[in-house]
Every structure is written in C-alpha cells, then in structure tokens.
C-alpha cells in the first residue's frame, strides 16, 4: 500500500524567499572566503589547471570538461590564481541547488511541491560534500549539475514527448560523462525504473533522440581514447583494480572495503540525508512508496549499491557515488519532510556548521592543528614550498631542467614555477605512462645537459654521473616526515628501462 500522507505536526516550514537567501548567502560566503584561502592547489587541482593550459578532448585520468571550465574562468579573469581556479565550484553548487528545486517542483506538484522545494535547495547547498567541493575544485561539482538537468528533462519526458527536452537529456548526460565516467552507474537504475514503473517510461522517439545527442557529445572523447591507447579507460581500470591489481587480502579485507565505502556515505551527504535515503529504499521494499518515490529510489540507490559491490570486489572511493545524490537529496528531503519532525532541521544544522567551518579552516590552514601537532589542513599545504625549494636548489646547481617521478611534486612544479626559467619533465619509466606528465611531458631523449632529479627515494645511477646535492624533510604539509632527494645527474641516468 502507498503511504504518502503528511503529518501536519511534522512540518518545518521554510519559505522560498528565506531558502534563496540561505542559498545565495552560503554561496557568497564561500566565494568571499576563497579570496582569503591559504591552501595550495591540491594535486588534482594543479593537474586540472595544467590540462586547461593544454586543451584537448581527453586527458590521462579524466575526461576534458573540468579542464575546459578551469580554462574558461582563467580566460575571462586574465588570472590563473588559486581563486580563479576554484571560484566556479561554489557557483556550480549554486546552480545545482536551484536546478534541484525546479526538478522537485516538476516531480511533486501542488502545495506539497511548493513546501518541499525550498528544503531541497538549502539541504543540498549545505551537504558536507558540497561544502568540501566548494573550497577545492572537483569533477563532482560539475557532474552533479548536469545529472540534475538530465533528471529534470527525464521527468518532463515522462509526462509528454518533447524533442527539445530529449536533446537536453542526451546533451546533459553526455556532458556528465565528459566530466566523469561514473555517470554510467546511473543508467542501470534508469533502466529498472522504466522497466518497472509505467509512469517512468518515455517515448522511444525521445530515447533515440537523447541517445543520438549524447553520442554526438561524447564522441570526441571516445575518439581521443581510441587515438591515445585508451588512456583514460586504462587509468580508470587501474584505480578501480578491475585488472586484479591490489585485489589480494582475502574476503575480510574486501568486506571492510565495502563497509568503509558505505559508511563514508554518511559523511558525504550527512548522516540524516543518507539515513533518509536508506529509509526510503526500505519503504519501497515494503510496498509503502508511490511511483514518484520509487522513481527517486531507482535513480539513486542502485548507484550506491553498484559502487558498494565495486568496493567489495575491488576498490571504490567515497565520492564515486555522487550521481546518486541528485535524486537522493530530493528523495530524502521529501521523506523526512513527511515523516519526521526534526530530521530536516537537524540535517540543516549539521550542514550549516560544516559549511561555515570548512572555509574558515582554509583561511587558517597554517594555524589550526590536530592534537598530534600536524596541521588540520596538512594535505593541502606545503606543496608550493617544496616547489620553491626545488627551484632554489636548481639555481644553486646552475641547471635549468628539473625532472621528477612523483605526480604530486610534478603537478605543483608546473603550477608554482610557471613563468620561471625552468624546463620541467617527468621521468620516462617505460611502458604505459603512470601519469599525464609522463604521457605528454617526459624527459626528451634530445636533452644532453645535466638535470636536477627529484625523488622521494634514494636513486642509484649506473649509466652516467650522479651526485646527491641535497636531502631534506619538509617541516609541514602533505610530505611532512618524508625525505626528498635532489640529484645533479646526466640524463642518461634516467633513460627508460628496456
């Protein structure tokens, strides 16, 4: 039996005007705090910036959209400061919150939709994942907007056939794919919804139009992968351990991996919202949901289930399930609004605290410490200091070519030393490249002058001269406690192994 009744005593009223004020206020807070953000670019952010300097239809570890976005904001601002690299993140979250509100109204009509719409917007914009990815540029930030647009179009097509909305559906899913391949986890749930719910079916003409539009959008990236030895696909296979690498350790290790991924979702969207999603799935199993609620379950829970299985058999990262939280946010908010008195208020309080504190932590990144003395933002500072130290060593050694093997070091070298008189290369290890830098900027064989080689392990050369000129351990930041080695050596020492 369906249960869609409303308990008048459980309503926590939120006006649309107040909701918009909160959403725009949170966005303004994030943008302003980015001005004072003292963290270095994280390794992925520095890489996205560098991709943006070398525009293409694909890259070693990700599809191209995030590079295009970063390049666009650099171009319109005339700056590649950390602020302009990151400022699109809170703006994307703003757009997603507003789009989720419109999607809610399209799904839930009448007074119920008007009451729930404001809550969906404020809950999304204050999700812990949104707060974190608003201070650090991430592919998830872009992808969830286009997933939301796709769901909005899909809902419209379930009510009436439309060429325009079919094109929007296909293009949106295509752009989501060009942001991160994990959007594919959404498709099985869509198929199950169309198979089991008559109200979730769209005309075959619209399916065909959406498929053609999506195929046109993604085709340049597919061609790029074909022309580059399937680099992005092979990298995805590697980090997901689909090739069997890292799959040892027995059943218990894999079970803990799956439970760890599932538990992490309580942190990604907050304990209340994730509980609400699980509660909704249980209600559907018990036959207490109407078709609208079932549709939202199919558009969210299968994503989490599939990636939990991925974590069980191989490996998965907590943010891989982001495509679940467009429909999932609407689902949880709708359920909590109807069936619990304090759930939404508690979720908003938790989210608001996180939304306030995370930007503050980035401003005081060098001041706030853990009980063990390490900085709370340890992973996000100290990178530029290492690059500047390497530049000083190169100047003292009178070499202009710097080579490294570590992706973290290379990413920041290219960003921090931009415009300086150094040539930066990755070491060519032979075989399939280990990073974008090795793929496209490995040390050329034509280089004959001595180079400065940086590694986080001792290095022995048997093919030329090599001199250790400095070793040091950073005092703070992501490499605190590790020893870095600087070698003055001939390029023949770094020739790839045959």
């Amino acid at each position: 039996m369906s249960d869609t009744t409303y308990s008048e005593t459980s309503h926590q009223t939120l006006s649309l005007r107040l909701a918009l004020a909160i959403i725009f206020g949170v966005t303004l807070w994030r943008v302003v705090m980015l001005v004072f953000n003292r963290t270095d670019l994280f390794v992925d952010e520095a890489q996205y910036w560098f991709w943006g300097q070398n525009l293409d239809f694909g890259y070693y570890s990700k599809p191209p959209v995030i590079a295009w976005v970063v390049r666009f904001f650099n171009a319109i601002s005339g700056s590649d400061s950390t602020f302009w690299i990151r400022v699109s993140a809170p703006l994307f979250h703003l757009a997603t919150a507003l789009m989720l509100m419109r999607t809610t109204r399209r799904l839930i009509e009448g007074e119920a939709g008007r009451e729930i719409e404001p809550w969906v917007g404020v809950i999304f914009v204050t999700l812990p994942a949104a707060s974190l990815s608003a201070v650090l540029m991430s592919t998830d930030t872009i992808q969830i907007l286009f997933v939301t647009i796709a769901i909005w179009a899909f809902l419209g097509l379930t009510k009436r056939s439309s060429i325009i909305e079919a094109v929007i559906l296909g293009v949106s899913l295509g752009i989501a794919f060009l942001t991160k391949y994990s959007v594919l986890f959404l498709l099985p749930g869509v198929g199950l919804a169309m198979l089991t719910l008559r109200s979730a079916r769209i005309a075959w003409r619209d399916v065909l139009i959406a498929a053609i539009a999506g195929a046109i959008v993604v085709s340049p990236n597919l061609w790029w992968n074909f022309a580059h030895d399937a680099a992005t696909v092979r990298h995805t296979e590697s980090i997901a351990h689909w090739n069997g690498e890292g799959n040892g350790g027995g059943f218990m290790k894999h079970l803990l991996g799956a439970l760890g991924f599932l538990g992490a979702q309580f942190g990604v969207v907050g304990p209340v919202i994730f509980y609400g999603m699980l509660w909704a799935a249980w209600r559907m199993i018990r036959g207490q949901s109407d078709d609208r609620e079932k549709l939202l379950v199919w558009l969210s829970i299968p994503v989490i289930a599939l990636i939990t299985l991925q974590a069980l058999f191989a490996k998965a990262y907590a943010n891989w399930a982001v495509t679940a939280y467009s429909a999932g946010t609407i689902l949880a908010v709708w359920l909590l609004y109807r069936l619990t008195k304090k759930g939404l208020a508690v979720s908003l309080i938790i989210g608001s605290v996180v939304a306030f504190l995370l930007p503050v932590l980035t401003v005081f990144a060098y001041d706030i410490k853990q009980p063990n003395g390490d900085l709370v933002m340890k992973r996000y500072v100290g990178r530029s200091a290492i690059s500047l130290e390497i530049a000083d060593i190169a100047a003292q050694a009178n070499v202009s070519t710097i080579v490294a093997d570590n992706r973290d070091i290379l990413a920041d070298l290219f960003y921090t030393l931009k415009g300086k008189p150094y040539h930066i290369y990755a070491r060519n290890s032979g075989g399939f490249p280990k990073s974008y830098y090795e793929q496209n900027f490995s040390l050329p064989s034509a280089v004959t002058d001595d180079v400065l080689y940086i590694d986080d392990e001792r290095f022995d050369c048997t093919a030329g001269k090599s001199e250790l000129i400095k070793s040091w351990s950073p005092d703070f930041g992501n490499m605190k406690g590790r020893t870095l080695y600087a070698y003055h050596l001939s390029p023949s020492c770094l020739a790839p192994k045959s």
Side-chain angles (χ1 to χ4, degrees):
M1 176 183 296
S2 251
D3 178 9
T4 58
T5 59
Y6 283 70
S7 170
E8 293 298 332
T9 61
S10 71
H11 288 188
Q12 300 287 325
T13 304
L14 179 67
S15 71
L16 180 60
R17 181 176 297 179
L18 178 57
L20 291 174
I22 293 172
I23 293 167
F24 279 91
V26 168
T27 302
L28 180 61
W29 166 253
R30 289 168 173 168
V31 171
V32 170
M33 294 299 276
L34 280 178
V35 175
F36 304 100
N37 189 319
R38 297 171 65 198
T39 60
D40 292 327
L41 290 182
F42 189 59
V43 54
D44 293 332
E45 293 180 290
Q47 181 174 257
Y48 301 150
W49 166 81
F50 194 52
W51 289 352
Q53 309 309 300
N54 302 274
L55 294 175
D56 210 334
F57 286 114
Y59 297 95
Y60 176 84
S61 58
K62 294 281 194 312
V65 162
I66 191 164
W68 299 349
V69 169
V70 171
R71 176 63 177 269
F72 173 77
F73 277 84
N74 290 162
I76 64 172
S77 66
S79 169
D80 52 13
S81 68
T82 58
F83 174 84
W84 285 106
I85 291 171
R86 291 168 168 163
V87 72
S88 66
L91 301 181
F92 270 103
H93 283 313
L94 167 66
T96 303
L98 298 177
M99 197 66 217
L100 275 172
M101 293 167 70
R102 301 313 303 159
T103 303
T104 301
R105 288 298 304 275
R106 176 164 274 197
L107 176 70
I108 308 168
E109 298 175 341
E111 186 64 23
R114 283 191 291 273
E115 291 176 356
I116 295 165
E117 176 189 14
W119 279 106
V120 169
V122 298
I123 291 295
F124 173 81
V125 86
T126 57
L127 290 179
S131 293
L132 177 60
S133 57
V135 298
L136 301 166
M137 191 57 187
S138 163
T139 52
D140 302 327
T141 308
I142 305 170
Q143 185 186 62
I144 196 168
L145 170 61
F146 289 98
V147 168
T148 303
I149 295 172
I151 292 174
W152 174 86
F154 179 80
L155 291 174
L157 291 170
T158 62
K159 299 176 181 180
R160 65 189 181 283
S161 181
S162 167
I163 294 176
I164 293 176
E165 292 193 356
V167 170
I168 291 172
L169 173 61
V171 169
S172 298
L173 287 175
I175 296 174
F177 179 89
L178 290 182
T179 303
K180 196 174 182 181
Y181 294 157
S182 60
V183 72
L184 295 176
F185 285 113
L186 184 66
L187 300 185
V190 175
L192 287 169
M194 295 178 67
L195 182 66
T196 60
L197 300 173
R198 183 179 296 275
S199 61
R201 293 169 188 167
I202 66 177
W204 283 110
R205 184 199 69 169
D206 294 335
V207 172
L208 181 61
I209 291 171
I212 293 172
I216 291 171
V217 171
V218 306
S219 59
N221 179 250
L222 298 179
W223 174 255
W224 182 93
N225 267 283
F226 177 78
H228 291 80
D229 200 20
T232 316
V233 176
R234 291 178 65 175
H235 171 77
T236 303
E237 177 185 348
S238 175
I239 63 171
H241 292 171
W242 293 336
N243 55 11
E245 181 183 347
N247 285 349
F251 174 76
M252 187 55 65
K253 176 184 175 182
H254 290 283
L255 179 61
L256 290 175
L259 292 175
F261 168 80
L262 201 58
Q265 303 312 300
F266 286 95
V268 170
V269 290
V272 178
I273 295 302
F274 193 60
Y275 170 76
M277 291 175 62
L278 297 179
W279 185 8
W282 177 243
R283 280 170 49 83
M284 189 177 89
I285 291 171
R286 295 182 63 190
Q288 296 177 323
S289 307
D290 70 7
D291 282 0
R292 296 169 299 173
E293 193 172 333
K294 289 176 183 177
L295 175 58
L296 292 173
V297 169
W298 285 126
L299 294 178
S300 56
I301 297 299
V303 174
I304 297 166
L306 286 170
I307 303 178
T308 301
L309 286 174
Q310 160 69 27
L312 178 64
F313 292 108
K315 185 176 181 179
Y317 292 92
N319 65 325
W320 283 8
V322 69
T323 54
Y325 298 123
S326 181
T329 300
I330 301 173
L331 174 65
V333 169
W334 188 19
L335 182 69
L336 292 169
Y337 188 82
R338 296 190 335 251
L339 301 179
T340 182
K341 185 175 182 179
K342 298 180 181 179
L344 288 177
V346 170
S347 180
L348 182 57
I349 291 169
I350 293 172
S352 297
V353 170
V354 175
F356 173 78
L357 287 180
L358 267 176
V360 172
L361 288 176
T362 67
V363 174
F364 296 97
Y366 293 88
D367 305 303
I368 302 176
K369 297 183 178 180
Q370 304 175 49
N372 66 1
D374 285 342
L375 295 170
V376 172
M377 302 297 289
K378 175 182 176 179
R379 293 185 71 200
Y380 308 103
V381 296
R383 297 171 184 273
S384 60
I386 291 172
S387 295
L388 293 173
E389 176 71 17
I390 291 170
D392 288 342
I393 296 171
Q396 293 168 18
N398 196 31
V399 295
S400 61
T401 301
I402 301 171
V403 184
D405 193 40
N406 182 293
R407 186 175 76 97
D408 284 60
I409 293 174
L410 283 164
D412 199 85
L413 281 172
F414 276 107
Y415 178 73
T416 298
L417 302 187
K418 59 185 180 296
K420 299 186 182 298
Y422 297 106
H423 304 288
I424 302 167
Y425 298 107
R427 183 185 179 188
N428 187 343
S429 58
F432 186 73
K434 298 185 296 183
S435 70
Y436 172 76
Y437 306 101
E438 184 180 344
Q439 180 189 45
N440 294 280
F441 296 91
S442 58
L443 180 65
S445 58
V447 173
T448 56
D449 293 336
D450 288 355
V451 304
L452 179 70
Y453 178 61
I454 307 297
D455 206 343
D456 54 0
E457 297 178 352
R458 287 191 173 274
F459 177 77
D460 294 319
C461 175
T462 58
K465 66 176 183 178
S466 172
E467 176 190 1
L468 175 64
I469 56 177
K470 184 170 183 176
S471 64
W472 79 102
S473 296
D475 296 327
F476 64 95
N478 71 307
M479 289 194 174
K480 179 183 178 182
R482 296 169 64 177
T483 301
L484 300 177
Y485 302 90
Y487 292 90
H488 187 173
L489 46 75
S490 55
S492 57
C493 292
L494 301 175
K497 297 177 182 179
S498 56

